[in-house]
Amino acid sequence: METTTYPKAVIVIFGATGDLAKRKLYPSIHRLFNNNQIGDEFAVIGVARRPWTNDLFREKVKESIQTPITTDEEIDSFTSHFYYHPFDVTDKSSFQDLMSLMNDLDGQYRTEGNRMFYLAMAPEFFGTIAQNIQEYGLKETNGWTRLVIEKPFGHNFESAKKLNDELREAFDEKQIYRIDHYLGKEMVQNIEVIRFANAIFEHLWNNRFISNIQITSSELLGVEDRGKYYESSGALRDMVQNHMLQMVALLAMEPPIKLTTDEVRSEKVKALRSIRPLTKQSTFDHFVRGQYGKGEIEEEHVDGYREDPNVDSESNTETFVAGKIMIDNYRWAGVPFYIRTGKRMKEKLTKIVVEFKDLPMNLYNNGSGKKQTNLLVIHIQPDEGITLHLNAKQSDGTRTIIPIQLDYCNNCINGINTPEAYEKLIYDCMNGDATNFTHWDEVALSWQFVDTISKAWESQKAEFPNYTSGSMGPDDADKLLEKDGFNWW
Ligand code: NAP
């Protein structure tokens, strides 16, 4: 009889009473358990200051689970793996107690000394926690030790480097798993497959056949109750430095020679290194910032960003960024990658549009004299799938063509079974697969690119607000493409 080998580990979640743990981590671990991807050889220790008991913690974990539960026995058997250990992470001596609890659970759950430390806390604690883990010997084990950290990874290159240096005093690069949850999304992971497993795309994936690539990630929501955090971040740091540039790297990279972590990351790093650096002047030519004013979303009035009680009434923080990125290598010379992301926009979606060049001699048009461009649209969220925009014959005896669309909808088929990004990333980390986590080199290159933009913007006050809530951003974002003869799709 075949036996399944499950990943085994004691997982310590720092920030166990927080929003991320409740909304993402517990439901994801439960889905892994429910889908039989992890067995019984795991335990979770929750750390935070609130004086909860094991019972209360298990109750909270139970409340956070969204999957329909069949029986109480099943859910109790899952939550019985959870233990709560309250302490302030700045209190060094508590790490000693944490170690004995880990050792006990290691024996009880036969986790072979494997340890995952998940820092679901504000980044100012990362260095302290990592150093205490090191100092109190929590890494001294026969199994593996991995550290998972969340964004924001620094505020600029300098602070990111300082943070990285602190982490590296305690952990090797190979032990550090930096989460960019976009890399856990099904269709972001599918970019490589669409490109490298389909001859009809990869052969055309270059400046001879592609005119431009557009990445849009728009949100309906404003900053909600995160105004204070957002004031020191803005869309550039919150979205562009990480998620948007990661998608650019996946679209622009060369095919790796193997699908190993090192090979994939090395190609992504090369793509990021090929991005043309900006100057202050080219920042103003190639990047547009925006901030939402009041408007209407789904027929309801909404306030502008500056009206938020946690936000400066003269705030210069951008809630929208559009930009043109040029990649100076043989494959992409001359092809703009346009990115656009913002809050309080017309719809919530993330998609990539690859626009192909027209044929050298296309004799057909759609009746209005216009050519119909071929597009490959990769829908990341909420829809997951691809649409190919082609041309076909109109059945009226004329030479007029009509646009047709070939659709593949991933979440229509998989339905609710499409794994959550966090679920996949936690599973990957337990299995030691760091491919879909960001390497320090990627973080560093992304910050260096973004820092020029933030410095240029800080040198000049913007005329905000400059877009209405419920729109697709400021007019200048449209003009950015119009100047090049394109439009947003
Ligand atoms: P949060 O709701 O504010 O939770 C922070 C957690 O840290 C709480 O459990 C808090 O518990 C604990 N904590 C704070 N100070 C502590 C201390 N001195 N010692 C021990 N525990 C302490 O924050 P969050 O939204 O979960 O975010 C956590 C991290 O993930 C942040 O870096 C955030 O930027 C990042 N992130 C969050 C999301 C999200 O969806 N929420 C998404 C992406 C990234 P006590 O008050 O009980 O101590």
Side-chain angles (χ1 to χ4, degrees):
M1 204 176 75
E2 215 176 290
T3 51
T4 319
T5 353
Y6 296 109
K8 306 164 186 183
V10 173
I11 304 171
V12 184
I13 298 181
F14 291 94
T17 58
D19 175 68
L20 181 74
K22 183 180 74 185
R23 279 193 314 111
K24 299 288 179 190
L25 307 187
Y26 306 142
S28 296
I29 299 171
H30 178 253
R31 283 173 65 127
L32 290 174
F33 183 75
N34 216 29
N35 296 340
N36 213 21
Q37 287 175 281
I38 54 175
D40 275 317
E41 287 144 337
F42 80 97
V44 177
I45 303 177
V47 174
R49 291 166 305 183
R50 256 160 264 192
W52 289 0
T53 58
N54 280 348
D55 285 343
L56 180 57
F57 183 41
R58 288 171 189 176
E59 203 45 49
K60 298 279 184 188
V61 171
K62 186 174 176 175
E63 283 166 15
S64 72
I65 291 165
Q66 300 131 3
T67 332
I69 311 294
T70 41
T71 63
D72 273 351
E73 285 78 46
E74 267 174 14
I75 191 67
D76 289 344
S77 116
F78 172 70
T79 57
S80 70
H81 291 255
F82 285 71
Y83 296 81
Y84 188 71
H85 189 57
F87 69 87
D88 188 318
V89 294
T90 56
D91 170 19
K92 281 174 169 286
S93 60
S94 304
F95 281 79
Q96 194 94 48
D97 302 335
L98 177 61
M99 178 150 85
S100 23
L101 178 59
M102 289 184 89
N103 288 340
D104 290 350
L105 295 178
D106 186 29
Q108 189 179 335
Y109 290 93
R110 300 176 307 281
T111 53
E112 297 177 353
N114 298 333
R115 293 168 178 189
M116 185 200 293
F117 299 99
Y118 198 121
L119 310 194
M121 285 185 58
E124 60 255 38
F125 294 109
F126 291 179
T128 312
I129 300 173
Q131 277 152 19
N132 289 339
I133 289 174
Q134 165 86 339
E135 196 176 325
Y136 286 87
L138 273 65
K139 283 173 59 215
E140 285 157 28
T141 157
N142 292 330
W144 50 256
T145 310
R146 295 177 189 138
L147 180 78
V148 185
I149 50 173
E150 280 288 341
K151 76 168 190 184
F153 197 81
H155 186 70
N156 51 25
F157 173 71
E158 216 173 77
S159 56
K161 174 145 188 351
K162 184 167 171 284
L163 179 57
N164 199 53
D165 289 346
E166 284 170 8
L167 296 180
R168 289 297 304 277
E169 276 177 32
F171 290 87
D172 297 339
E173 174 64 33
K174 279 199 181 315
Q175 295 176 311
I176 304 174
Y177 286 66
R178 297 178 195 81
I179 293 240
D180 183 321
H181 72 277
Y182 268 58
L183 296 182
K185 289 185 188 289
E186 192 65 15
M187 289 309 294
V188 172
Q189 295 190 349
N190 223 332
I191 295 172
E192 284 170 81
V193 183
I194 292 166
R195 287 189 54 193
F196 305 136
N198 290 296
I200 59 159
F201 295 130
E202 191 51 27
H203 290 318
L204 305 182
W205 212 260
N206 57 52
N207 55 9
R208 279 183 65 201
F209 303 106
I210 289 176
S211 67
N212 71 93
I213 294 185
Q214 305 175 9
I215 308 172
T216 298
S217 187
S218 59
E219 284 181 59
L220 273 172
L221 291 178
V223 287
E224 310 309 299
D225 52 3
R226 291 171 73 227
K228 199 157 167 263
Y229 158 76
Y230 206 80
E231 274 287 88
S232 64
S233 158
L236 185 68
R237 293 186 174 94
D238 195 43
M239 289 295 295
V240 177
Q241 183 273 333
N242 35 54
H243 314 314
M244 303 303 276
L245 286 177
Q246 281 293 321
M247 287 191 279
V248 169
L250 288 168
L251 290 161
M253 70 193 254
E254 291 301 312
I257 55 166
K258 286 191 201 118
L259 290 175
T260 57
T261 303
D262 287 349
E263 295 300 343
V264 172
R265 282 172 158 188
S266 129
E267 293 306 338
K268 281 170 69 194
V269 167
K270 258 194 259 168
L272 291 169
R273 274 187 12 224
S274 317
I275 293 182
R276 186 182 301 168
L278 292 164
T279 59
K280 186 172 171 186
Q281 187 50 50
S282 63
T283 294
F284 287 109
D285 293 343
H286 288 187
F287 273 78
V288 172
R289 55 182 158 166
Q291 187 192 79
Y292 60 80
K294 57 184 186 311
E296 265 193 20
I297 300 258
E298 290 168 347
E299 293 173 25
E300 296 262 322
H301 170 85
V302 286
D303 284 340
Y305 178 70
R306 288 180 176 179
E307 272 98 67
D308 186 300
N310 296 316
V311 163
D312 183 345
S313 57
E314 296 284 302
S315 174
N316 208 32
T317 302
E318 78 289 347
T319 60
F320 174 96
V321 178
K324 168 172 155 179
I325 294 172
M326 299 305 292
I327 298 186
D328 290 332
N329 63 17
Y330 187 80
R331 186 187 283 261
W332 293 117
V335 180
F337 283 62
Y338 298 107
I339 57 166
R340 167 172 71 156
T341 181
K343 292 196 176 287
R344 279 280 169 76
M345 293 174 67
K346 202 166 128 202
E347 51 190 333
K348 176 178 171 59
L349 65 79
T350 303
K351 70 173 179 184
I352 295 162
V353 180
V354 180
E355 180 172 344
F356 291 90
K357 289 183 176 169
D358 198 10
L359 286 164
M361 234 188 85
N362 186 348
L363 300 175
Y364 295 94
N365 65 54
N366 66 0
S368 66
K370 271 196 185 157
K371 306 277 186 224
Q372 297 287 156
T373 318
N374 289 142
L375 305 174
L376 169 67
V377 184
I378 305 176
H379 307 274
I380 311 280
Q381 65 183 21
D383 295 342
E384 293 176 9
I386 54 178
T387 307
L388 192 55
H389 292 241
L390 302 172
N391 294 309
K393 182 181 170 300
Q394 178 105 278
S395 34
D396 61 358
T398 68
R399 284 192 179 151
T400 311
I401 51 168
I402 50 162
I404 57 162
Q405 297 182 3
L406 303 187
D407 272 319
Y408 161 67
C409 174
N410 183 55
N411 52 351
C412 307
I413 298 165
N414 291 341
I416 55 161
N417 292 328
T418 308
E420 254 267 358
Y422 276 94
E423 185 183 335
K424 280 189 273 181
L425 295 174
I426 292 171
Y427 185 71
D428 283 355
C429 179
M430 287 181 92
N431 284 299
D433 181 354
T435 317
N436 291 312
F437 295 80
T438 38
H439 188 277
W440 162 246
D441 292 347
E442 297 169 62
V443 176
L445 286 162
S446 306
W447 272 125
Q448 281 159 348
F449 179 72
V450 156
D451 279 355
T452 313
I453 308 174
S454 34
K455 277 191 200 127
W457 283 352
E458 275 157 23
S459 73
Q460 272 184 32
K461 199 159 166 49
E463 296 209 3
F464 286 159
N466 62 351
Y467 72 97
T468 314
S469 284
S471 71
M472 279 311 274
D475 294 343
D476 283 348
D478 296 335
K479 290 187 193 141
L480 184 71
L481 273 70
E482 282 162 17
K483 277 192 290 192
D484 297 338
F486 303 123
N487 56 271
W488 291 105
W489 292 103

